[in-house]
Amino acid sequence: ATGRRTCLRSAASYRFNATQGTTRKFRVEVGPARTAPLAIIGTRVANVGGTRGANAGYRFTFTATQEADVQVEIQTLTGRSLRKLETRATAGGESGVFWDGRTNQGAALPAGPYVVTISARDSEGVVVRASLPLTKVR
């Protein structure tokens, strides 16, 4: 009902609160053992839309070697966080997020250099990061 996924490799149990009169369905998936460690590869950034277009922004794409929860963070060169975006990556497939060029508070960022950090966390809690430069243009 919620779409929530829980890896039983890293959790000893799973609990939920049942509401009287509701039906819950669970699906258990068994997959092959992992052979490759979690990594983020093939990172790219592309300017999307025109300089004056309503949909102007940036698309960040990457490939994760395993399923993972991913956070894309746009930062200043000094490391101050300006925007955080989240997505879910599938193993071996290209994933991506769109950024509209704004902060978490909705303010438009000026043209200039920034750092994009992509962090992936697998079901066992392993975290890996990849960073790439971004120059925001007018």
Side-chain angles (χ1 to χ4, degrees), residues 65-117:
T65 57
Q66 297 179 16
E67 276 193 23
D69 292 319
V70 178
Q71 182 180 73
V72 177
E73 184 174 19
I74 294 84
Q75 302 168 312
T76 64
L77 294 180
T78 59
R80 185 169 55 97
S81 179
L82 301 169
R83 182 78 181 262
K84 291 182 182 179
L85 307 162
E86 295 183 356
T87 190
R88 178 95 180 141
T90 58
E94 187 174 81
S95 300
V97 295
F98 175 79
W99 174 51
D100 60 5
R102 297 185 174 278
T103 66
N104 283 330
Q105 292 75 29
L109 287 176
Y114 298 94
V115 175
V116 178
T117 302

Side-chain angles (χ1 to χ4, degrees), residues 4-79:
R4 180 177 174 204
R5 297 177 63 113
T6 301
C7 178
L8 297 178
R9 287 186 181 118
S10 59
S13 64
Y14 175 74
R15 292 179 183 221
F16 71 98
N17 293 325
T19 305
Q20 186 173 355
T22 61
T23 301
R24 294 286 186 168
K25 293 182 181 181
F26 294 90
R27 182 172 71 192
V28 177
E29 297 176 2
V30 178
R34 296 183 188 144
T35 56
L38 176 61
I40 299 170
I41 57 176
T43 57
R44 291 189 318 249
V45 60
N47 192 336
V48 179
T51 56
R52 294 189 179 123
N55 293 326
Y58 296 86
R59 178 124 180 107
F60 306 110
T61 56
F62 55 90
T63 299
T65 57
Q66 297 179 16
E67 276 193 23
D69 292 319
V70 178
Q71 182 180 73
V72 177
E73 184 174 19
I74 294 84
Q75 302 168 312
T76 64
L77 294 180
T78 59

